[in-house]
Amino acid sequence: MRVDARGMTFEVRTGGPEGGVPVLLLHGFPQHGGEWDDVVPALHAAGLRTYALDQRGYAPGARPAAVEAYRIPELVADAAAVLDALGVASAHVVGHDWGSIVAWGLAAVHPERVRTLTAVSVPHPAAMGHALATDPRQKARSSYIALFRKPGKAEKVLLALNAAALRKLLGGVGDAARVARYADPMREPGALTVALNWYRAMSGADMKAVGPVAVPTTFVWSDRDIAIGRTAAEACATHVTGDYRFVELAGVTHWIPDEAPGPLAEAILARAAA
C-alpha cells in the first residue's frame, strides 16, 4: 500500500490479521521492505499485523535530493509520521542495519510510540561511538563508510561491471536471485545516490543526540557480521535502561533477516510477548 506522510509517498508492505497488534519493520542499506518477507509469516501466525516500510530514499515517491534531508532526525520523523498515517498509536518496532538506527532514535525520542524494540545488527549509536573510539578493529570494520560518503566515486565503484561490488556486498543474503532483488533497484537512475545519502548526512552530533532507551529492548547480533564487532555489540546494554536482552546468532553474517529469519522471528516474538 501507499502511505502519504510529510509531503511524500511511502510504500508499505502490509500483512497479518486485521486488528492484530502492529509491528513496524524498518529495513537497512541497500535493501527495502522486502527483506522481511521470510520473517513475517511467523509474526502473522502469532496474530501480529506487520507494516514493512520502504524508507526515505528507497520509495520512489520519497526521494528528496538534498543530502541534509537524510539526517537521522528526518528519518525518525518519517517513521513516526507513517505510524500516524496508518492510525497506529504504538507498535512493536524492528529495525535492521540503518533501520536499526532509525528504530533506536524512535524509541529514544518517542518512547510512547514504541511498545518494544528489536534492533538487528546495529547497536545503539552511542555503543558504536564507544567502539569506534576504543577498538581499532571496529575502525577497520567501518572503513567502508569513507567510500560511501564520497559523492560520485561510491556510485562508480559500486555500480561498475553490472554492479559487481554491490552484488558482492550483498553476497550473504542468499542466491543470485535474492541478491538481484536488492541490487537491481539500486541500478535505477539516482536510486543508489539517495540511499547513500543516509551515510553522507550522518554526523557525530546526530548520533550522540540519540539518548538512552527505556522501552523493553532486544538486540540481535551475529558473530560473522563484518561491519559490527563484538565491542560495539556488547556495549549496547549500557544504553538501555529498560528490560534488555542480547541475542547472539552463531555462524550468521550481517544479513540476519535474509539468512536467519526463523531465529530472528523467535527473538521478535519473545520480546513482543514479554
Side-chain angles (χ1 to χ4, degrees):
M1 66 182 294
R2 292 179 178 176
V3 174
D4 293 328
R6 306 190 72 207
M8 295 175 287
T9 300
F10 295 88
E11 306 290 335
V12 182
R13 294 168 171 83
T14 63
E18 294 283 352
V21 176
V23 181
L24 178 65
L25 300 159
L26 303 169
H27 67 84
F29 173 88
Q31 298 180 281
H32 48 64
E35 76 164 272
W36 304 105
D37 283 359
D38 291 341
V39 178
V40 295
L43 307 188
H44 299 162
L48 299 174
R49 176 75 170 169
T50 61
Y51 300 94
L53 171 65
D54 284 1
Q55 298 194 79
R56 178 180 294 229
Y58 293 86
R63 289 179 175 170
V67 171
E68 294 77 11
Y70 296 85
R71 292 179 56 208
I72 292 172
E74 297 294 336
L75 308 173
V76 170
D78 288 346
V82 167
L83 289 177
D84 289 340
L86 292 169
V88 174
S90 64
H92 299 293
V93 177
V94 184
H96 172 242
D97 187 75
W98 260 106
S100 181
I101 294 178
V102 178
W104 285 113
L106 185 65
V109 177
H110 299 292
E112 74 283 357
R113 310 304 301 271
V114 181
R115 294 173 181 241
T116 68
L117 168 63
T118 302
V120 186
S121 298
V122 176
H124 190 284
M128 276 299 299
H130 165 77
L132 288 168
T134 63
D135 185 356
R137 290 172 295 182
Q138 184 58 58
K139 290 182 181 178
R141 288 173 183 268
S142 300
S143 60
Y144 69 94
I145 295 175
L147 170 63
F148 284 8
R149 287 171 63 89
K150 294 180 179 178
K153 183 174 181 180
E155 288 88 337
K156 182 177 180 179
V157 170
L158 291 171
L159 295 178
L161 301 175
N162 192 32
L166 185 62
R167 295 178 194 279
K168 182 178 180 180
L169 172 71
L170 287 161
V173 303
D175 61 19
R178 187 173 287 259
V179 170
R181 185 186 191 200
Y182 303 126
D184 287 352
M186 292 291 98
R187 300 178 66 203
E188 297 172 4
L192 180 58
T193 293
V194 289
L196 288 168
N197 279 348
W198 288 51
Y199 291 92
R200 293 164 184 168
M202 181 173 58
S203 71
D206 283 351
M207 298 287 272
K208 290 177 182 178
V210 179
V213 167
V215 305
T217 298
T218 294
F219 177 51
V220 183
W221 174 75
S222 45
D223 65 1
R224 292 185 58 201
D225 193 318
I226 63 170
I228 308 295
R230 186 171 295 278
T231 298
E234 294 185 348
C236 191
T238 63
H239 302 284
V240 179
T241 60
D243 181 63
Y244 178 75
R245 298 176 184 177
F246 175 46
V247 175
E248 179 177 339
L249 302 180
V252 178
T253 71
H254 178 77
W255 311 101
I256 293 174
D258 292 276
E259 191 175 353
L264 176 55
E266 290 176 7
I268 295 167
L269 290 172
R271 172 47 67 194

